[in-house]
Amino acid sequence: MTDHELYMRLAIDEAKKAEVIGEVPIGAVLVKDGEVIASAHNLRETTQQPTAHAEVLAIQKASERLGTWRLCDCTLYVTLEPCPMCAGAIIQARVDTVVYGAADPKAGCAGTLMNLLQDGRFNHVAEVVPGVLAEECGALLTDFFRRLRKNK
């Protein structure tokens, strides 16, 4: 198992926590120097806050823990490709690398619809590693939405 797979499995664990409470199962883990410094899962429904995405919450926790908004030398692992808002937060936080699982054909801004994370017009560019444990990450979402539709 590679490091990327190891940390993505932790992000999947976070996604499963979201699913248990009825949230869309997306999880994120921030790593610096081989240490997990923050993890989070979606809480948008729970908090009724549109910004309560896993990536944003993990960035907030990491900034608080490190005492800085600059998350240089950090890698963000997330089960779903970041949306425009999360990509913006990643750029603003100066996260060096983003590793994601499933591509997002409806809102993906790390290469699918557009690639905000590697747009040289911004003052920060992140390395992007797509498709790590993509099938497993995608299945979490597919199964969740299938059950949601069935229960309606």
Side-chain angles (χ1 to χ4, degrees):
M1 180 181 303
T2 67
D3 283 349
H4 286 332
E5 291 170 337
L6 171 73
Y7 294 120
M8 186 61 74
R9 292 229 174 269
L10 297 177
I12 289 169
D13 290 344
E14 281 294 321
K16 290 177 180 176
K17 291 177 187 177
E19 185 173 24
V20 167
I21 60 173
E23 294 279 353
V24 176
I26 301 169
V29 173
L30 257 161
V31 176
K32 181 175 178 137
D33 300 326
E35 178 188 356
V36 174
I37 57 170
S39 59
H41 53 272
N42 271 13
L43 289 174
R44 193 165 59 169
E45 296 298 328
T46 301
T47 63
Q48 290 298 297
Q49 294 295 317
T51 60
H53 287 202
E55 301 96 319
V56 171
L57 297 173
I59 287 168
Q60 289 171 342
K61 287 179 180 181
S63 294
E64 186 174 309
R65 179 168 177 193
L66 297 177
T68 181
W69 60 268
R70 291 178 184 89
L71 301 180
C72 303
D73 302 320
C74 290
T75 300
L76 175 68
Y77 293 85
V78 61
T79 57
L80 182 66
E81 179 180 2
C83 72
M85 174 185 70
C86 293
I90 291 162
I91 292 166
Q92 291 300 315
R94 311 296 195 265
V95 174
D96 283 351
T97 305
V98 175
V99 180
Y100 72 83
D104 186 350
K106 294 183 179 179
C109 285
T112 298
L113 293 180
M114 63 185 67
N115 194 342
L116 293 176
L117 296 177
Q118 295 185 311
D119 188 325
R121 295 174 293 177
F122 292 115
N123 61 346
H124 178 75
V125 173
E127 177 186 356
V128 175
V129 180
V132 175
L133 301 178
E135 286 184 28
E136 190 171 339
C137 292
L140 279 171
L141 292 158
T142 301
D143 294 346
F144 174 81
F145 285 113
R146 186 174 291 135
R147 281 191 305 279
L148 198 62
R149 284 190 297 277
K150 183 181 174 185
N151 293 334
K152 280 194 173 186

